[in-house]
Amino acid sequence: MAHSVRRDAPELPDFSLLKRLARDQLIYLLEQLPGKKDLFIEADLMSPLDRIANVTTLKEHEVDKLYKVEHKSIVSTSDQLCFLIRPRIQTVKWICDVVNADKAVGKFRRYKVIFCPQKFYACETLLEEQGIIGDVTTDEWSFYLLPLDDDIISLELPEFFRDNFLEGDQRWVRTAGSALHLLHSLYGPFSKVYGIGRCSKMAYESWREQVKEGEQRVRQADIGNVFLIDRDVDLVTPLCSQVVYEGLVDDIFRIKCGCVEFGPDVTSSDKSMKVMLNSQDKVFNEIRNEHFSQVFGFLSQKARNLQTAYDKRSGMDIKQMKTFVSEELKGLKKEHRLLSLHIGASESMMKKKTKQDFQEMLKTEHSLLEGFEIRECISFIEEHINRQASMVESMRLLCLLSLTENGLLPKDYRSLKAQYLQSYGVDHLLTFSNLKQLGLLVEQQPGETLTVMESRVGKLVNDKTAGKLTDAFSSLAKKSNFRALSRRLNLVPKSDEEYDLRVPRDMAYIFSGAYIPLSCKLIEQVLERDGWTGLEEVTRMINGHEFAVTAGSNGSDPRGRSDAQRIILVMFLGGCTYSEISALRFLGKEKGYKFVVVTTAITNSARVLESMLDNHA
């Protein structure tokens, strides 16, 4: 990227240790069931498991056959069954059915259930109720964190967003606290912790409890500062169309666990190909954070450079040719293959985006963010709905309209809702209820101030744990201040200046210069001010539960400390987008920081809205 880079940015810690620890613990747990065994793996654990321990590793530890958990009768003939599952009631009930079916026909087997990343009381209670607690052994695989790249670590818990922010189920909060505790014990001690959001505050408190319970060791810190942020602090950003390369790839092809499957239209062959997307892919690493409009120019220049490198062969003697073949040719071929893939992916994305009236969509989004031509935006959304274009895209635009306009006028809300239900089916009534509950799509309350709303609903709901009013009533308050926040933090740059995407001047480049993500702007401001001082008005508008704590430091050498202070661990509770990661990388280069992003899952607009659908399992 063509912007200035501070050369003194510190080196990132080596997070591969997290993988080794997870693999070693899994192997230990498998060996607790000696002899040949069949392993049943829950579907959403298969990709993370593949990154930790491949089939060969499992076979080395006497795993005979692998099955995907499918909630139906099993065909395994093994005398030992091992289940690697998430702590879900539905899956535990299925395991109970398997064991009871074996008992009914007099079949004796040994069963082991490994919960990942932890077991919940409700699961063990169910085993007891079903009368099989004595027939199975249970364990925990404390696999909290999966490094997806040098600076991205995921808990791979996509359900965190719905469970916590919609259902009010806080069972994953301790998991987040445990993940933080693991990072603290391996790469801490952290000297400062900043946070905003109710869930962040609870995760921080859970982590502090675990620190008190464990032993304290003095060591050289690798990470100095931590920033925790709830996803519902900023719901606008994940609903915006991604236009940086990595974000677009995720929107169109769905990156899963750091891996993407490119179809025949990209690979220029008759079969699909799975590709790991990380910094090891040199071509991808140079374009991942670029605005999509700059990618083709870069790739064509790369192709010319590659051709020049190949053409060097023509004037070589035998000795030079031998050196070229042994030292350069393999690298050039690999680069050529990756270049072909990314050119194919770019062409495929270009076709899809023009087909979907992408430019018109972006124009509407930018108008919503800026607060211009709202009636024209509503007309565009109505046309999109009535053409029965993508159901999720229509929902995304409705939510973006609601969030940026502090809710819809009652007549607009009723009209758009009726059109949506006519186009996509009345079974989405519950989806509208979910969106309203979360504050994503709400109707403006005429003549009713926010304070009245807060006091009225506040009387109804009492949060016993925190001993104060819960935030269930504040979803409207949180979502109703976008315009004021935008002005206060200058989130929407002035549109009278031409924005040069080749030389980005701020984080707004990730949305074509139209919008700086609120989440990233908050992080920038807090780091600049070393806390929330001066941001009181902003936190009040977000309703934020903000905190800034000096967690203490050790007596190690000052140079090491200063390096660690410039490595910032940002933990998103409820998911984060690739666009936000690109924005933080930009900010890091500008300010001499290195950001490590820890997230409950990688998200985007489709994932956020699909988790709200009424048929969500």
Side-chain angles (χ1 to χ4, degrees):
M1 203 174 273
H3 60 270
S4 61
V5 177
R6 274 187 55 167
R7 297 289 168 201
D8 61 341
E11 287 295 306
L12 285 169
D14 176 14
F15 293 112
S16 62
L17 176 59
L18 294 168
K19 282 188 186 179
R20 292 201 298 276
L21 286 172
R23 184 173 60 242
D24 291 349
Q25 195 198 1
L26 178 63
I27 288 167
Y28 172 78
L29 292 172
L30 290 173
E31 287 177 347
Q32 299 297 297
L33 198 61
K36 282 196 179 300
K37 55 199 150 279
D38 284 355
L39 180 61
F40 289 80
I41 308 165
E42 195 135 29
D44 59 351
L45 278 172
M46 291 185 113
S47 293
L49 178 63
D50 200 39
R51 297 285 301 262
I52 296 295
N54 57 24
V55 175
T56 312
T57 307
L58 296 174
K59 296 277 186 192
E60 283 169 5
H61 297 279
E62 298 188 285
V63 171
D64 189 21
K65 292 192 178 87
L66 292 166
Y67 297 93
K68 185 165 84 173
V69 169
E70 290 180 315
H71 301 104
K72 60 185 186 186
S73 302
I74 62 169
V75 292
S76 169
T77 55
S78 175
D79 290 335
Q80 301 197 111
L81 304 182
C82 191
F83 301 91
L84 183 60
I85 64 165
R86 291 284 191 210
R88 293 180 185 132
I89 293 295
Q90 184 191 9
T91 313
V92 176
K93 177 74 176 72
W94 169 74
I95 292 171
C96 294
D97 292 343
V98 168
V99 176
N100 284 325
D102 284 349
K103 281 170 143 182
V105 295
K107 188 171 180 63
F108 172 77
R109 307 196 223 217
R110 291 179 70 193
Y111 310 93
K112 184 178 183 70
V113 182
I114 301 173
F115 292 101
C116 174
Q118 63 197 89
K119 57 186 168 188
F120 293 137
Y121 174 72
C123 297
E124 293 196 299
T125 304
L126 183 59
L127 292 173
E128 203 169 333
E129 284 171 1
Q130 295 287 316
I132 66 160
I133 193 79
D135 301 296
V136 301
T137 54
T138 62
D139 233 315
E140 289 180 338
W141 181 30
S142 308
F143 173 33
Y144 294 110
L145 297 161
L146 174 65
L148 298 178
D149 206 346
D150 298 342
D151 60 350
I152 309 174
I153 303 170
S154 174
L155 278 77
E156 290 300 306
L157 288 174
E159 62 260 58
F160 189 105
F161 179 74
R162 182 184 169 105
D163 284 358
N164 193 80
F165 297 111
L166 180 67
E167 312 282 1
D169 183 345
Q170 294 159 1
R171 61 188 170 147
W172 298 117
V173 170
R174 184 167 172 84
T175 309
S178 300
L180 205 53
H181 184 238
L182 177 60
L183 288 165
H184 177 259
S185 59
L186 295 175
Y187 304 103
F190 308 141
S191 50
K192 285 193 176 158
V193 183
Y194 311 100
I196 186 160
R198 185 162 174 267
C199 186
S200 291
K201 190 86 181 275
M202 290 162 64
Y204 166 76
E205 285 163 358
S206 168
W207 163 58
R208 289 308 300 166
E209 277 172 24
Q210 292 176 61
V211 168
K212 283 176 196 163
E213 288 165 12
E215 56 181 87
Q216 303 291 318
R217 284 180 300 160
V218 175
R219 62 183 300 281
Q220 173 72 56
D222 293 314
I223 297 171
N225 299 319
V226 177
F227 195 107
L228 306 176
I229 183 166
D230 283 17
R231 180 70 276 169
D232 72 343
V233 164
D234 172 17
L235 285 168
V236 169
T237 299
L239 292 179
C240 293
S241 293
Q242 303 195 77
V243 285
V244 290
Y245 183 74
E246 190 168 14
L248 255 181
V249 170
D250 187 39
D251 276 358
I252 291 173
F253 299 103
R254 288 279 177 121
I255 300 172
K256 191 176 176 185
C257 227
C259 185
V260 68
E261 187 167 341
F262 287 134
D265 58 326
V266 172
T267 60
S268 304
S269 65
D270 55 356
K271 53 179 185 272
S272 298
M273 183 188 293
K274 282 192 173 179
V275 182
M276 288 296 294
L277 294 179
N278 55 33
S279 53
Q280 301 303 305
D281 178 339
K282 300 299 179 211
V283 176
F284 173 70
N285 199 41
E286 290 188 67
I287 59 173
R288 66 193 309 179
N289 304 309
E290 292 282 354
H291 189 277
F292 190 60
S293 62
Q294 306 304 305
V295 169
F296 269 116
F298 173 84
L299 291 175
S300 55
Q301 182 58 52
K302 195 85 177 164
R304 285 194 292 274
N305 295 348
L306 206 56
Q307 191 57 53
T308 307
Y310 272 124
D311 291 345
K312 282 196 313 186
R313 294 175 298 181
S314 54
M316 289 181 180
D317 59 28
I318 292 175
K319 189 180 178 185
Q320 289 169 324
M321 182 64 83
K322 192 176 176 184
T323 307
F324 175 78
V325 170
S326 62
E327 292 177 11
E328 291 180 54
L329 189 60
K330 191 178 176 185
L332 288 173
K333 281 185 171 175
K334 184 183 179 185
E335 201 169 333
H336 183 265
R337 183 179 62 82
L338 292 169
L339 190 60
S340 300
L341 273 175
H342 291 297
I343 289 172
S346 300
E347 286 172 343
S348 176
M349 289 192 288
M350 189 67 92
K351 280 179 205 159
K352 283 175 184 161
K353 284 305 176 188
T354 45
K355 201 187 293 177
Q356 293 175 355
D357 310 320
F358 190 52
Q359 294 310 316
E360 200 64 36
M361 185 94 74
L362 281 182
K363 187 182 163 199
T364 302
E365 270 180 50
H366 294 174
S367 295
L368 289 173
L369 291 165
E370 291 164 13
F372 295 151
E373 301 174 335
I374 298 304
R375 294 321 305 176
E376 285 87 338
C377 292
I378 291 174
S379 298
F380 177 82
I381 295 169
E382 284 180 323
E383 186 198 333
H384 199 270
I385 290 170
N386 295 329
R387 281 195 290 119
Q388 292 187 320
S390 161
M391 178 183 75
V392 171
E393 284 292 305
S394 295
M395 185 66 76
R396 180 176 74 81
L397 290 170
L398 283 175
C399 292
L400 208 49
L401 171 65
S402 173
L403 287 170
T404 53
E405 285 298 298
N406 307 339
L408 304 186
L409 292 170
K411 66 181 178 66
D412 288 335
Y413 181 84
R414 286 194 292 272
S415 167
L416 288 163
K417 181 178 177 181
Q419 290 176 69
Y420 191 94
L421 295 173
Q422 282 167 0
S423 276
Y424 303 111
V426 291
D427 49 341
H428 287 292
L429 266 170
L430 189 53
T431 305
F432 274 85
S433 170
N434 291 341
L435 293 168
K436 187 175 184 178
Q437 192 177 327
L438 196 62
L440 276 168
L441 182 53
V442 297
E443 189 178 349
Q444 284 178 7
Q445 301 299 317
E448 188 155 43
T449 66
L450 223 45
T451 320
V452 174
M453 279 290 287
E454 285 184 21
S455 59
R456 184 175 298 177
V457 190
K459 286 169 189 165
L460 301 176
V461 191
N462 189 49
D463 181 2
K464 294 184 178 68
T465 318
K468 51 192 163 182
L469 293 179
T470 185
D471 285 335
F473 66 83
S474 68
S475 60
L476 181 62
K478 283 184 180 177
K479 313 308 173 286
S480 293
N481 291 310
F482 178 77
R483 287 276 168 262
L485 282 167
S486 181
R487 283 192 298 273
R488 184 79 177 75
L489 294 169
N490 196 22
L491 298 180
V492 178
K494 293 180 176 65
S495 53
D496 51 358
E497 304 166 33
E498 189 65 35
Y499 197 100
D500 188 353
L501 291 166
R502 288 168 303 177
V503 190
R505 60 173 181 259
D506 54 29
M507 292 184 282
Y509 91 91
I510 66 162
F511 293 123
S512 310
Y515 166 65
I516 297 171
L518 170 60
S519 53
C520 301
K521 190 71 175 181
L522 285 172
I523 292 163
E524 179 192 37
Q525 290 292 307
V526 168
L527 291 175
E528 260 180 31
R529 298 160 190 265
D530 192 19
W532 295 97
T533 309
L535 294 169
E536 292 83 2
E537 192 187 337
V538 168
T539 57
R540 184 183 56 76
M541 286 191 275
I542 293 171
N543 235 342
H545 290 279
E546 74 285 355
F547 58 94
V549 184
T550 301
S553 59
N554 58 11
S556 53
D557 71 280
R559 195 196 64 77
R561 276 212 307 277
S562 67
D563 267 4
Q565 292 313 308
R566 288 185 295 125
I567 293 180
I568 319 291
L569 190 147
V570 179
M571 189 177 207
F572 285 88
L573 294 159
C576 117
T577 65
Y578 281 114
S579 294
E580 287 167 305
I581 295 171
S582 290
L584 289 174
R585 285 177 182 141
F586 176 91
L587 181 63
K589 285 177 180 175
E590 292 283 291
K591 307 282 187 184
Y593 295 130
K594 278 280 179 75
F595 286 98
V596 177
V597 173
V598 179
T599 177
T600 49
I602 296 291
T603 195
N604 59 19
S605 58
R607 292 188 188 105
V608 166
L609 295 171
E610 283 163 9
S611 73
M612 294 295 108
L613 294 179
D614 55 296
N615 60 354
H616 183 82

